[in-house]
Amino acid sequence: MQVYHKSKKCRICSSKNLELVLDLGIQPPANSFLKKVSSSEKKFPLRLFFCKDCFLLQLVDIVDKKLLFSHYLYLSSASKPILEHFSKYAFNVFNKFWKNKRKPLIIEIGSNDGSLLKEFKKLGANVLGVEPASNVSKIALKSNIPTINKFFTSKLASSLAKKGKPNVILANNVVGHIEDLNDFVLGIKNLLDDDGIFVFEVPYVLDLLKKTEFDTIYHEHLSYFSLLALTKLFKKFELEIFDIQRQSVHGGTLRIFVAKKERKKIKSKVIKMINFEKEYGISKIRTYKQFGKKVLILRNSLQKKIKQLKQEGKMIYGYGAPAKGNVLLNFCQIDNKMINFIIDTTPLKQNLLTPGTHIPIKSPTKVIQKGAGDIFLLLAWNYKKDILKKEKRFRKRGGKFLIPLPNPRII
Ligand code: TYD
């Protein structure tokens, strides 16, 4: 199996007009937590490129999807705020389109442990998940969410379509994972009922750029979407974006509603957002070069801050072991000499080591023993509000948090 290759052309428009905007060095895959330190730990280049023809921001360093996704340690159910987001998500989509109508069929691509489908099922929908990770799809099956343990392709879509076309296809934080985007969208087009909708969420490139969320760039995330780039992709398959909603999860997400051409009225806010992207400079290389510079400044200032805290004799721990945390730690060279351990609520991650930096991950009960003089580097910064609320007592005892983005600061 070839585990790594470098792609030479744009994932949407096949152009070779790609320019480097940020080099994050040689990094292990961000979710490849280790049982023990190993000399054969796999690391690959991690570089961000911009397509000057269709404006897609993307990686060219491709790690084999089987290596990344066949056994997966991220569980939606481990983050309470995500479960709350899913519950509102299902309610919103279901009531908008299917209230008082017959039971819709909903297929989710990358359905993880079935957390989102569970919410649709509660509302009365027929559901089916497609999930490539065998360990995670088993968890979904155990909680009675029918799940096919496969990667979604146009071939799988054609065989699913024979059994019944879904009214809704969902894909949450998965479209950015897809290497062959054209095959993926072809599959959506062929599978979806003619009056159906494709609803998906992706981290929004505007949030990435504005808030310097560089650590969300990792091998799993091959594309960083703008509406400008997505519109070009869907147009090729006679699909249209007819509605959008901005969401706060994962540092800023765009929920996108897609239908077959001329089936739904396109909302004016879609056009407004596209115009805003143009004004912001989403189609200009200089916007991305500026972002690249800001990332280097951020790294310097975080490294300085940590060095200073260590000189003052402070103890630093990590809060949360998200994939993005591993990018931040590796890129800023913050390892187990600076961070004693990390706490994380995901049982599958506990007692493992972070990839590249080899910091032990422990269960969150440890935080109860900490207070004055202790600092948690908030690696799961996307849950800042919830975590600060949850750790009120630690903060009352004099404990502090180091927030890494967009500018490192202690609170
Ligand atoms: P998340 O930011 O959702 O994802 P990604 O891996 O894509 O960057 O991951 C958040 C991690 O933080 C996850 O491993 C669970 C953990 N976590 C905690 O440890 N405590 C908490 O209170 C919350 C909300 C999350």
Side-chain angles (χ1 to χ4, degrees), residues 31 33 72-75 78-82 215-216 218 220-221 250 319-325 343-346 349 364 379-383 386-387 390-391:
N31 267 313
F33 296 90
Y72 207 48
L73 296 185
Y74 175 86
L75 293 182
S79 300
K80 215 171 128 230
I82 284 295
D215 53 353
T216 59
Y218 47 87
E220 290 178 17
H221 297 165
H250 294 300
Y319 201 108
K324 65 174 92 58
I343 53 162
D344 192 283
T345 47
T346 318
K349 293 182 187 173
L379 295 166
W381 49 258
N382 46 324
Y383 297 120
D386 306 83
I387 290 173
K390 197 161 104 180
E391 303 304 351

Side-chain angles (χ1 to χ4, degrees), residues 11-12 56-59 175-179 181 202-203 218 220-225:
R11 196 159 294 117
I12 289 184
L56 180 67
L57 190 62
Q58 57 196 292
L59 300 189
V175 184
H177 294 184
I178 308 298
E179 185 182 1
L181 272 180
V202 286
Y218 47 87
E220 290 178 17
H221 297 165
L222 297 174
S223 308
Y224 304 83
F225 293 109

Side-chain angles (χ1 to χ4, degrees), residues 14-166:
S14 300
S15 159
K16 291 192 174 159
N17 208 358
L18 302 175
E19 191 163 331
L20 178 71
V21 292
L22 177 64
D23 187 342
L24 290 168
I26 311 286
Q27 296 226 14
N31 267 313
S32 56
F33 296 90
L34 305 166
K35 285 201 180 102
K36 55 180 194 317
V37 178
S38 143
S39 56
S40 61
E41 191 175 2
K42 292 189 180 73
K43 294 185 183 175
F44 307 97
L46 181 57
R47 292 167 297 172
L48 190 65
F49 282 73
F50 174 66
C51 172
K52 290 197 210 153
D53 288 328
C54 76
F55 319 134
L56 180 67
L57 190 62
Q58 57 196 292
L59 300 189
V60 297
D61 299 300
I62 318 290
V63 179
D64 184 76
K65 63 182 179 187
K66 292 197 191 92
L67 187 86
L68 296 180
F69 301 118
S70 296
H71 181 85
Y72 207 48
L73 296 185
Y74 175 86
L75 293 182
S76 307
S77 58
S79 300
K80 215 171 128 230
I82 284 295
L83 294 180
E84 285 160 12
H85 173 71
F86 282 173
S87 158
K88 286 190 209 139
Y89 186 165
F91 189 78
N92 175 291
V93 170
F94 196 90
N95 284 333
K96 206 166 169 179
F97 298 99
W98 274 277
K99 207 174 176 188
N100 306 325
K101 288 194 193 157
R102 71 184 168 80
K103 265 186 161 193
L105 170 62
I106 301 192
I107 294 186
E108 185 183 5
I109 301 166
S111 48
N112 196 268
D113 56 14
S115 295
L116 179 58
L117 285 180
K118 235 184 247 173
E119 297 298 326
F120 278 98
K121 198 176 158 186
K122 271 192 225 160
L123 295 168
N126 289 318
V127 300
L128 176 66
V130 179
E131 169 53 52
S134 60
N135 64 321
V136 176
S137 50
K138 273 182 201 143
I139 299 176
L141 283 169
K142 261 197 194 143
S143 47
N144 292 322
I145 300 298
T147 303
I148 299 176
N149 179 210
K150 281 195 175 144
F151 283 99
F152 181 82
T153 57
S154 63
K155 200 169 153 219
L156 178 68
S158 303
S159 78
L160 288 174
K162 284 182 200 140
K163 293 178 205 141
K165 294 196 163 190

